[in-house]
Amino acid sequence: PDQVRDIMRVSVSCMHALNLTFTAPSEDESDLDDANPHLQKFLSLMGLERKDLHDTICFYEILIAGRDKQRRNQSKANAEKGMEAFIKSIYNAMFTYLVDTINQRISIQSSKSSEQSASIGILDIFGFESFQTNSLEQLMINYCNEAMQQLFNAVVFKSMKEEYDREGIDSSFISFPDNQDALDAIDN
């Protein structure tokens, strides 16, 4: 229950973070938009202070001569990109955690080898891939590819088969991969 609550909290906080906006006090400066209602919700859910988020996203540090740090302002555009990268890293860390946790729970260690006998993979057009490290990006890419493949199958193969059936032509020789069940599992 705590684990599920934490995952939901992180997911919801990222959704709020996606709606954060920045102001530009000048061309080379940025600031968190305090008028945005998502800011306080994000900070609260993540347990962050406004100043810490502001300092992390709206500024950067450079090292001069290998020893002196100098703090510089980020432009609004760079702050927005930094926030996007921050959100992406949170999602990726959560995805990696989920995959690792699921694999640990479904894994049965064989006494004869150090290999795991069960693991989850990433959906691919031709079934499932098994990578050393599965990433959220790979899942999203493969999910989109699979959805496009399903659309192609529906438009080309299924409609062709229906046309053959209407015209009384034997269409039993037409077969194509159908991974709709895998897509439905992710959708639901």
Side-chain angles (χ1 to χ4, degrees), residues 8-171:
M8 296 303 289
R9 181 180 51 80
V10 171
S11 297
V12 169
S13 68
C14 285
M15 290 178 209
H16 284 293
L18 289 167
N19 292 304
L20 293 180
T21 51
F22 295 85
T23 61
S26 74
E27 186 178 316
D28 297 331
E29 292 180 306
S30 60
D31 196 0
L32 293 165
D33 182 359
D34 289 319
N36 187 317
H38 296 279
L39 178 59
Q40 284 307 315
K41 292 175 185 173
F42 172 73
L43 294 172
S44 175
L45 286 165
M46 291 299 286
L48 296 172
E49 296 294 325
R50 184 205 185 279
K51 181 184 180 333
D52 294 334
L53 180 64
H54 176 262
D55 290 351
T56 301
I57 301 296
C58 298
F59 292 93
Y60 66 99
E61 290 182 351
I62 58 172
L63 198 58
I64 299 173
R67 60 176 186 251
D68 295 327
K69 285 185 184 176
Q70 193 173 66
R71 187 173 142 164
R72 303 260 172 103
N73 291 307
Q74 291 274 29
S75 68
K76 179 182 174 191
N78 285 344
E80 290 167 345
K81 288 176 186 172
M83 194 68 205
E84 289 171 6
F86 181 49
I87 296 164
K88 182 179 173 184
S89 69
I90 293 170
Y91 269 124
N92 192 52
M94 185 173 60
F95 178 81
T96 301
Y97 169 78
L98 287 170
V99 169
D100 290 346
T101 301
I102 292 168
N103 280 337
Q104 287 172 0
R105 296 217 173 134
I106 66 172
S107 174
I108 302 169
Q109 201 73 23
S110 170
S111 60
K112 295 178 184 174
S113 88
S114 62
E115 291 184 30
Q116 293 181 341
S117 61
S119 67
I120 61 170
I122 298 296
L123 181 66
D124 187 299
I125 290 173
F126 300 108
F128 283 86
E129 295 175 312
S130 183
F131 294 116
Q132 191 69 24
T133 302
N134 291 314
S135 71
L136 177 62
E137 286 176 329
Q138 190 63 47
L139 175 65
M140 295 297 119
I141 290 166
N142 289 346
Y143 175 82
C144 290
N145 287 342
E146 185 64 27
M148 288 188 293
Q149 183 67 42
Q150 285 299 104
L151 179 61
F152 176 81
N153 288 352
V155 170
V156 176
F157 295 122
K158 290 178 183 176
S159 64
M160 182 81 83
K161 192 168 171 55
E162 288 170 2
E163 186 177 333
Y164 280 16
D165 290 344
R166 276 194 311 273
E167 294 178 8
I169 300 171
D170 179 25
S171 62

